[in-house]
Amino acid sequence: YVATGHYARISYDPGKGRYLLRKAADPKKDQTYVLYGLVQEQLAHILMPMGHFTKDETRRLAGELGLPVADKPESQEICFIPDDDYRRFLREYLPESVRPGPILNEEGQVLGEHMGIAFYTIGQRKGLRLATEKPLYVIGIDKGRNAIIVGPRERTLSRGLVARAVNWIPFETITDPIGASIKIRYNSPELEATVFPPGHGEAGPSEVEVRFSRPHGAVTPGQAVVFYDGEMVLGGGTIERRL
């Protein structure tokens, strides 16, 4: 077995003959969004004891055991960037993504210059440094042209998305549409949606189409989309494109 400190819970369903992944007991610390890709063989050999405790209970236990981390301050940063300098990290490891380039409107007109596409995400408004009459938001990232595309807020809304590399946990795949709550970012609120089987609508044979119950903003290709049924993780994949 491998034991990890992730806040999530693993259980076994003998009726299905499958391991299940569930949200942590402490909803504020739940980390299932980043664990949706675990497959059955991995889930069978992982222990996640922290998932059954709140963070306060974990700190109390650590104190009782005399562990020095009992009073360690909370960290929201990425563990492999110890100085929290993300721009330096990207310049070192992904230099092609931090070259300055044009900021364009939908007609292709140059409105300004960006610092590198790695520093922007769909729906972003801050940091564009544009003097315009109405607020503009990032609505597209064109890697081929090294360009950021901007437009009005309503252009950040999507009716759904297509996801690839989907991993299902309670079952192998789906053959009929299913209702699910979905998250498109780690800290985003859940949104009700319908997930369609591979090949439906605008999805290819190895993709799934997700239709939102209402238009949703900031759908970003490359981010994960994770499907939930209550506290149970159904699965997830990588956002390929928005609809």
Side-chain angles (χ1 to χ4, degrees):
Y1 289 92
V2 173
T4 84
H6 287 98
Y7 280 83
R9 293 178 288 176
I10 298 173
S11 60
Y12 182 73
D13 185 336
K16 295 181 177 179
R18 295 182 72 88
Y19 287 88
L20 306 177
L21 181 64
R22 298 181 183 275
K23 293 178 182 177
D26 187 343
K28 292 183 291 186
K29 300 301 295 182
D30 178 62
Q31 292 177 299
T32 51
Y33 176 81
V34 298
L35 299 171
Y36 76 87
L38 292 172
V39 299
Q40 290 294 304
E41 185 179 7
Q42 294 167 325
L43 290 168
H45 295 281
I46 298 176
L47 302 174
M48 295 183 182
M50 295 298 93
H52 299 276
F53 300 100
T54 66
K55 190 59 182 274
D56 290 340
E57 290 171 332
T58 300
R59 285 192 182 280
R60 187 168 62 251
L61 283 170
E64 291 171 0
L65 294 168
L67 300 178
V69 296
D71 298 317
K72 184 180 178 182
E74 288 281 324
S75 173
Q76 302 297 325
E77 306 302 334
I78 298 176
C79 59
F80 57 81
I81 307 181
D83 60 0
D84 300 336
D85 188 343
Y86 300 97
R87 291 184 178 180
R88 175 198 58 75
F89 180 84
L90 289 168
R91 287 190 183 100
E92 289 181 6
Y93 289 92
L94 206 63
E96 68 276 9
S97 70
V98 295
R99 292 181 292 111
I103 298 177
L104 310 174
N105 62 17
E106 293 182 88
E107 289 72 43
Q109 180 184 0
V110 177
L111 303 181
E113 184 178 78
H114 64 75
M115 297 180 293
I117 59 175
F119 302 136
Y120 300 84
T121 188
I122 302 297
Q124 180 174 332
R125 178 185 172 190
K126 292 182 179 179
L128 293 175
R129 300 176 300 170
L130 298 176
T132 55
E133 225 176 279
K134 295 182 179 179
L136 294 176
Y137 300 78
V138 177
I139 62 172
I141 299 173
D142 190 329
K143 186 177 179 181
R145 292 189 290 171
N146 189 36
I148 297 294
I149 317 301
V150 296
R153 184 181 179 278
E154 57 267 24
R155 292 285 286 116
T156 69
L157 300 177
S158 304
R159 55 193 170 88
L161 60 86
V162 170
R164 58 177 171 80
V166 176
N167 178 59
W168 297 104
I169 295 178
F171 32 75
E172 285 294 328
T173 188
I174 59 172
T175 55
D176 295 300
I178 61 169
S181 299
I182 70 161
K183 291 182 73 171
I184 60 168
R185 296 194 183 202
Y186 187 85
N187 286 320
S188 70
E190 292 182 18
L191 174 71
E192 295 304 310
T194 302
V195 185
F196 293 89
H200 172 89
E202 299 185 35
S206 59
E207 301 172 327
V208 299
E209 182 178 288
V210 180
R211 294 283 180 167
F212 306 149
S213 59
R214 54 181 172 79
H216 196 57
V219 175
T220 306
Q223 290 272 20
V225 55
V226 181
F227 316 130
Y228 294 90
D229 180 6
E231 67 171 17
M232 184 163 59
V233 181
L234 300 177
T238 301
I239 299 172
E240 179 69 16
R241 56 191 178 277
R242 55 196 188 115
L243 303 175

